[in-house]
Structures are given as structure tokens and as C-alpha cells.
Amino acid sequence: MLASFTMDTFIETKVATYTYTRHQATALMDSGLCIASLLMERQEDVTGEETEEELLKDRWIEPAIRLKRGQRVEVRQQLKVGEDGRLYFMTSQAIATKAETAESSETLAEAEIVLAIEPEPARWNLNKLSRAGYGDNADLIWGRILELAGVPEEEHGILIDSFYDWVDEDSLETSADGAETDYYENLEPNPYACKNAALDTIGELAYIRGFDTNNGVLLKGGIWNPKESESRQITVSGIEHLFSLYGDGKINVNAAPREVLLTVPCFEDSDGLIVDTILEEREGLNADSFGASTQVRQTARGASLGTAAIEDYSFKDISDFLARIPGISQEDANTYLTVDCEIYKLELEGRVGNIRRRATAIVQRGGSDSKKNSSGLTSAAQDLTILRWQEEI
């Protein structure tokens, strides 16, 4: 009996400790929203000409500047557990001191808040990639996406037209390659109807004819035709990371990764030179080269910067983009490109010891209606509205 009571007490203590720590990690994860709110507000005040002394005094200036320029922002805030069991922020000096004595970076802090902010227009709005959203240009975009993914060209028509039929409001097949309810109701063993409406999640692509090949391998990437002999098998790269469900459908040239830029029709060339030029130009990687634009060379010399020397190579507007990237027409730029962003993707993580809580949120600036996430937290940001909140279980 004594051994049984001892074991019960031990287990209950472990469960209570885990539950308490998990609640702490959840609170830190939610705190990432407060940091995001702070940076959204601070970006309106920073100029990029702050002094080094100002940067040292205020750690939020530099990420606010990056956010203002449409760049991806990553923030880590370390914490320590006090004698009373509560969590306290670690100062920069404390972090540096502890780093000197720590055996590895894994032991730097007992707890941590990790936040990443990325403009949502860095990806294609999937629900805009239709005839209703882009007209005939939608065919060009899908063609680039499927080509770069490695999908056989003879499969493009089925994928594209079936997607159009899934999201349009009518029950008429776009072409012989399309698919409406008649097709899906004959599927075995689980028939279903064609949605004929906008997608609610990117994963919903796996229900569409063609995209459902090999259990939706096109979304994550893998072998397209595993039943073929090894010599005839085709490997496709995943495409789900190229999409969003928010924004006006245009691509933010300051934030889009290389994979997305390669799918923009007006950037098409055999070697990806246009895309590489855009990346080098916006990040100043070619600042010392003869091929750098006047804008980048002037910025590299510090002509418009303060002593902080936080280089700003971002495109200020579409006119600035066209002036620095030759060969792109105004019409194409107006159709596919933007430098604006009001919707952001937040990757949030709270860690206490070995316990981690993660969530992904889509937030919009300028929203007046506050929404609660699944933990009951209302966005305290006066100008942030949570559009989507998804926690890892």
C-alpha cells in the first residue's frame, strides 16, 4: 500500500508539474502576439536612420525596420525561472554573460519566446488563381507552378481545369479535362460532391482531380507515379508552400522567396537570372558589382543612411522596382506585383524547459474587430485582427 501511495503521489506530482509548465509555455506562445503588435506599431515610427546608440538601447528598432521594409522578421526573447517559480525576461547583458559560461546554446535560457513575422503576399492567394481572379493569366501562373514542380506537361490541363471547376460557382465543366460533381460522386470508396466555392484550406487541394494523385503527393512532394518502374518514376516538388488564402493575389517583391518569384510569368527565363537579380537588388548582395543599380550603389555608400548603417535596399514602390529591374513592363507589374502588405503570417512558439507550444496565426492590420484564439486570448493589438489561428496539438 505504501509503495502504491508513493507511486500515485509521484505520478500526480509529475502531471501537475507538466500541466503547470505547459500553461506557462502556452502563455509565452500567446505573448508572441504582443511582440508582433509592438513591432507593427513601432514600424510606423522608425526611419532606418537611427544611431547605433539608439539600436543598443532599444532592441525592437531593428526588427521594426525590417518589418517596415517588407522583410521576414525573427525574434527570440529569452527568459529565466525565478526563485518564486515565475518567468522573468533576461536582459541582453544577462544573456551574454550566461552564454560565456554555457556549454551549448541549448542551455542558454530556461524559457523562450520565438516569433517569426512574414508578409502573407509573399505567396500566391490560391483562391485568386482562377479565371475569375486573373483571367487567362491564371493559366500562365499555374503553368509556371506545375512546370517548376516537375509535373509532366500532359497532366497540366487536368490539374488546372479541375481546379477551376472546384472553385467556380457553376456546375459546368471548364473543359473535357475538368471535373464537376458527376466525376467526384463516382469515386470509390468515398464519393463526395464538387465544392464549387473558394477553398478554406490549402490542404483541400488534395480532394481535386489530379491533385489527389498518389494521395496528394503534389502538395508535399515525392514520387508522382510510384507504380511505374524506377527508371520511369517522376519526382515532383511540393507546391503547398507557394500558396496563401489571403491578400489581393499580387506578389510582394520585397518578401517573396525565390521559389515563388520563379513562378511569376513576367520573370520567366531559362536560368532564373531575372529572379536572381531581384534578390540581389533587394538585399544589396551586388552592391559592389558593376551591375548594381544606382539606388543600391548610393545606399551602399551610405548616402541616405544615418550612423546605424542599416542598409535599405527594399523596393519603395512599383516605379522604384521597374527602375531597378529592367525588362519588366508596367502592365505586367500592375498585374502580378506589389510592395504593400496588410496581412501577415505569424509563427509563434513558447518554450519552458523541454515543453514547447506552437501556433500559426494570420493577422490583418487595421482590423477593428478583435477575435479570440482557441486559448481565449483576445488580440490586444489595437490594429490587429486574427483571421486564422492554428495550434499544434
Side-chain angles (χ1 to χ4, degrees):
M1 289 178 62
L2 179 61
S4 177
F5 288 148
T6 302
M7 179 60 69
D8 288 345
T9 302
F10 173 77
I11 293 176
E12 289 176 1
T13 301
K14 294 289 286 185
V15 169
T17 301
Y18 172 81
T19 302
Y20 178 75
T21 304
R22 183 177 170 85
H23 280 306
Q24 285 185 314
T26 300
L28 294 183
M29 176 186 71
D30 288 340
S31 296
L33 278 175
C34 298
I35 296 177
S37 170
L38 166 69
L39 294 178
M40 295 288 183
E41 183 177 351
R42 290 299 303 276
Q43 71 169 321
E44 302 296 338
D45 301 325
V46 295
T47 64
E49 298 186 0
E50 287 79 5
T51 64
E52 295 289 352
E53 183 179 356
E54 290 174 317
L55 290 177
L56 292 175
K57 288 183 178 179
D58 189 344
R59 59 164 301 187
W60 305 114
I61 291 179
E62 186 169 356
I65 291 174
R66 292 182 59 83
L67 186 63
K68 186 173 185 176
R69 295 171 180 171
Q71 300 168 324
R72 178 181 170 88
V73 174
E74 296 183 2
V75 174
R76 289 181 176 268
Q77 174 62 61
Q78 297 183 354
L79 303 96
K80 63 179 180 179
V81 180
E83 296 180 357
D84 56 0
R86 297 183 178 182
L87 294 172
Y88 296 90
F89 287 119
M90 294 177 64
T91 63
S92 300
Q93 183 177 359
I95 293 174
T97 301
K98 197 164 187 178
E100 294 177 357
T101 59
E103 294 181 0
S104 71
S105 59
E106 295 293 328
T107 61
L108 279 180
E110 291 94 347
E112 193 172 34
I113 300 171
V114 181
L115 166 68
I117 307 176
E118 185 177 15
E120 195 64 0
R123 296 173 290 277
W124 293 107
N125 183 337
L126 189 55
N127 284 322
K128 298 287 187 180
L129 291 184
S130 64
R131 296 275 172 76
Y134 265 105
D136 292 338
N137 290 321
D139 292 354
L140 299 177
I141 299 172
W142 274 112
R144 292 290 295 154
I145 291 173
L146 298 176
E147 178 185 350
L148 290 171
V151 178
E153 187 174 357
E154 61 269 20
E155 302 287 345
H156 288 195
I158 293 176
L159 289 162
I160 297 172
D161 288 349
S162 296
F163 174 81
Y164 292 161
D165 285 335
W166 186 268
V167 298
D168 64 24
E169 297 180 356
D170 61 51
S171 298
L172 302 175
E173 292 184 358
T174 299
S175 72
D177 289 331
E180 286 287 352
T181 295
D182 289 345
Y183 169 83
Y184 296 106
E185 286 183 341
N186 288 309
L187 294 177
E188 295 292 343
N190 300 310
Y192 49 91
C194 184
K195 186 171 186 180
N196 290 329
L199 278 71
D200 294 313
T201 67
I202 295 171
E204 192 180 319
L205 278 174
Y207 290 94
I208 303 175
R209 180 188 181 188
F211 291 92
D212 61 355
T213 299
N214 191 18
N215 295 318
V217 68
L218 183 55
L219 272 67
K220 301 289 186 182
I223 303 300
W224 175 263
N225 51 346
K227 295 182 179 180
E228 297 285 348
S229 62
E230 187 173 347
S231 61
R232 296 174 61 87
Q233 287 181 354
I234 299 172
T235 301
V236 296
S237 58
I239 64 173
E240 66 177 358
H241 65 288
L242 304 176
F243 301 126
S244 167
L245 295 176
Y246 302 92
D248 61 2
K250 296 182 180 181
I251 294 299
N252 187 318
V253 289
N254 283 323
R258 188 175 193 273
E259 295 87 347
V260 174
L261 292 175
L262 285 170
T263 64
V264 179
C266 61
F267 298 159
E268 183 176 2
D269 61 69
S270 58
D271 299 318
L273 295 179
I274 296 178
V275 171
D276 290 338
T277 300
I278 293 171
L279 295 175
E280 292 173 352
E281 188 74 13
R282 79 184 189 188
E283 297 169 16
L285 299 180
N286 63 342
D288 297 327
S289 72
F290 178 78
S293 70
T294 303
Q295 170 71 24
V296 166
R297 289 199 299 272
Q298 288 179 346
T299 304
R301 290 198 300 267
S304 60
L305 295 176
T307 57
I310 305 175
E311 296 86 351
D312 181 10
Y313 303 111
S314 61
F315 301 109
K316 306 304 180 294
D317 50 41
I318 292 301
S319 296
D320 180 36
F321 174 83
L322 294 174
R324 294 161 59 184
I325 306 297
I328 309 298
S329 71
Q330 182 74 57
E331 181 181 359
D332 284 339
N334 292 339
T335 301
Y336 301 114
L337 311 177
T338 185
V339 296
D340 300 324
C341 180
E342 294 296 329
I343 300 178
Y344 297 85
K345 177 182 179 182
L346 309 182
E347 296 173 3
L348 308 162
E349 180 180 321
R351 178 184 64 82
V352 179
N354 294 324
I355 306 299
R356 297 176 185 269
R357 296 285 285 125
R358 295 187 178 95
T360 300
I362 305 296
V363 300
Q364 180 175 10
R365 294 195 66 204
S368 57
D369 297 330
S370 62
K371 296 183 179 181
K372 292 184 178 180
N373 58 41
S374 60
S375 62
L377 177 72
T378 300
S379 174
Q382 295 180 356
D383 63 342
L384 285 188
T385 298
I386 299 176
L387 302 178
R388 183 183 293 270
W389 179 275
Q390 183 177 1
E391 295 183 17
E392 289 187 11
I393 300 176

